[in-house]
Amino acid sequence: MQGSSGIGYGLKYQGRCISDVRADTDHTSFITGTLSLREENEVHLIRLSSSGTELICEGLFSHPNEIWDLASCPFDQRIFSTVFSTGESYGAAIWQIPELYGQLNSPQLERVASLDAHVGKINCVLWCPSGRHDKLISIDDENIFLWTLDCSKKAAQSKQSSGLLHYLSGGAWDPHDINAVATTCESSVQFWDLRTMKKTNTIERAHIRNANYDMKKNHILVTAEDESGIHIWDLRKPKSPVRELPGHTHWTWAVTCNPEYDGLILSAGTDSTVNLWMAPTSAEDEATSESIAESATQQADPLLNSYSDYEDSVYGLAWSNREPWIFASLSYDGRVVVESVKPFLSRK
């Protein structure tokens, strides 16, 4: 599926966030939510059919507020988090999908816990990326909270970062080190040790919108940076990026690394485009890229394909962990599109 040949699914209202349901090992599933100021918002659980030709709604649930961030629990397919706005304040909560989802009239979501230690605007919730851990992180404009979740008691306890921070916008949890997290802010990427809740390093860089760790390779972080595009960093040498990609014609808003294929990256932005990149980060990667991608990717241009059949900005991206050649995107007008990048991968 290239260009406009992706499989579509329409939300009733606008949306900004979509997540792979990583814990669902039997299906290729995604969960997404809407962003309506005046209407009752919705959470959609969608699955790719066994034939791979359509997206099926397996559950449709009401959500009380605008959903600004959504993330699925990596070890329980029925649990997910949302960050939401009431119009006057922000909140965050952990939810559980009812056992009998998929029926015509889906029952209500169950609120497992509220992450209510925040006093400012909450930006995102991060789940521990490796193993079955009860830890998660929430980030607001000035604080990082590390939570211990107890689903049986419907409770979460928090540990706060030391000191007030400024202009935090998001973050990424290192999949290779459960004690390390990166946060993005107005003028830098900051790295934190969760054992001490203290900062360990900084990359000075203006207007970073999003960051994502390479799941296959230690020390590699990818950032999306407004007009300056996509930068790939070796965190052992943080003074300058090891690769720079040209990005989009407007703000580059989201970036995510493939869970299986080294150097395979998605980016999206306010130019209503999703870009697919093959960007090895070392000579060794260049030598092995032939076994990963087709001959077109061996050229100097790291851009494999641009998906431009969108009518609005694209803020949400999610690779499928179960089928890593498949990804889903969500544009602001509420359109979900699932694409396959198999045409660009080796057929060996």
Side-chain angles (χ1 to χ4, degrees):
M1 293 176 288
Q2 301 179 41
S4 60
S5 61
I7 302 169
Y9 176 91
L11 306 184
K12 191 175 181 180
Y13 309 116
Q14 296 170 327
R16 292 181 69 101
C17 45
I18 190 167
S19 174
D20 169 44
V21 184
R22 194 193 317 174
D24 186 355
T25 57
D26 297 323
H27 311 90
T28 298
S29 303
F30 300 94
I31 190 167
T32 183
T34 63
L35 188 75
S36 174
L37 181 61
R38 295 182 176 86
E39 306 295 337
E40 184 79 7
N41 283 281
E42 300 173 339
V43 171
H44 294 242
L45 176 63
I46 54 180
R47 287 178 179 162
L48 187 64
S49 65
S50 57
S51 63
T53 58
E54 63 177 326
L55 288 169
I56 302 168
C57 180
E58 291 289 333
L60 177 61
F61 312 96
S62 62
H63 187 281
N65 305 109
E66 301 172 297
I67 302 171
W68 286 86
D69 175 77
L70 182 149
S72 181
C73 173
F75 57 82
D76 189 328
Q77 63 180 302
R78 294 173 55 209
I79 294 176
F80 65 96
S81 61
T82 62
V83 173
F84 49 85
S85 170
T86 66
E88 298 178 354
S89 62
Y90 280 76
I94 310 302
W95 306 88
Q96 183 167 283
I97 294 172
E99 293 249 13
L100 299 177
Y101 60 77
Q103 59 185 287
L104 183 60
N105 296 313
S106 299
Q108 294 293 310
L109 293 169
E110 178 183 355
R111 190 187 293 246
V112 175
S114 295
L115 309 183
D116 54 8
H118 294 271
V119 295
K121 177 186 175 184
I122 308 171
N123 293 299
C124 67
V125 171
L126 308 176
W127 291 87
C128 186
S130 58
R132 189 183 180 94
H133 292 282
D134 59 357
K135 305 295 184 185
L136 49 89
I137 290 169
S138 57
I139 299 173
D140 65 29
D141 288 343
E142 297 184 341
N143 298 281
I144 305 168
F145 285 87
L146 176 65
W147 299 85
T148 301
L149 180 65
D150 189 334
C151 292
S152 63
K153 295 182 179 179
K154 295 186 179 180
Q157 296 179 332
S158 65
K159 176 182 178 184
Q160 187 177 354
S161 57
S162 56
L164 290 178
L165 314 177
H166 296 286
Y167 308 116
L168 297 183
S169 58
W173 204 324
D174 190 340
H176 310 288
D177 183 355
I178 63 171
N179 295 310
V181 65
T183 60
T184 57
C185 72
E186 191 175 59
S187 59
S188 67
V189 181
Q190 301 170 349
F191 300 91
W192 299 84
D193 188 326
L194 296 176
R195 293 165 295 190
T196 62
M197 298 302 282
K198 293 183 178 179
K199 188 164 59 176
T200 59
N201 204 352
T202 302
I203 292 175
E204 296 297 336
R205 204 77 185 181
H207 304 301
I208 294 176
R209 295 279 178 179
N210 192 225
N212 191 244
Y213 281 94
D214 189 320
M215 295 182 67
K216 301 296 290 183
K217 192 176 298 180
N218 283 322
H219 313 296
I220 300 299
L221 183 77
V222 183
T223 57
E225 310 181 20
D226 279 8
E227 297 94 340
S228 56
I230 300 151
H231 290 167
I232 303 175
W233 304 84
D234 185 331
L235 300 181
R236 296 165 296 184
K237 301 173 288 184
K239 290 187 177 181
S240 61
V242 295
R243 290 203 70 169
E244 299 185 23
L245 306 178
H248 296 255
T249 58
H250 204 246
W251 293 342
T252 309
W253 198 273
V255 65
T256 182
C257 300
N258 189 277
E260 184 63 31
Y261 299 101
D262 290 340
L264 196 62
I265 299 168
L266 287 171
S267 64
T270 52
D271 61 352
S272 307
T273 299
V274 174
N275 284 339
L276 175 68
W277 309 88
M278 176 60 75
T281 54
S282 69
E284 180 181 357
D285 291 333
E286 294 281 5
T288 60
S289 63
E290 186 172 356
S291 65
I292 297 175
E294 291 185 336
S295 58
T297 73
Q298 298 165 22
Q299 302 171 3
D301 187 357
L303 181 62
L304 300 187
N305 195 38
S306 287
Y307 304 87
S308 55
D309 188 36
Y310 299 91
E311 296 183 0
D312 213 328
S313 300
V314 182
Y315 297 115
L317 290 173
W319 286 106
S320 167
N321 197 67
R322 180 175 177 268
E323 297 180 285
W325 56 89
I326 289 176
F327 74 88
S329 59
L330 174 65
S331 51
Y332 188 62
D333 56 0
R335 183 175 179 230
V336 177
V337 179
V338 169
E339 300 272 4
S340 171
V341 301
K342 265 192 173 179
F344 306 103
L345 303 180
S346 171
R347 295 184 173 90
K348 294 181 181 180

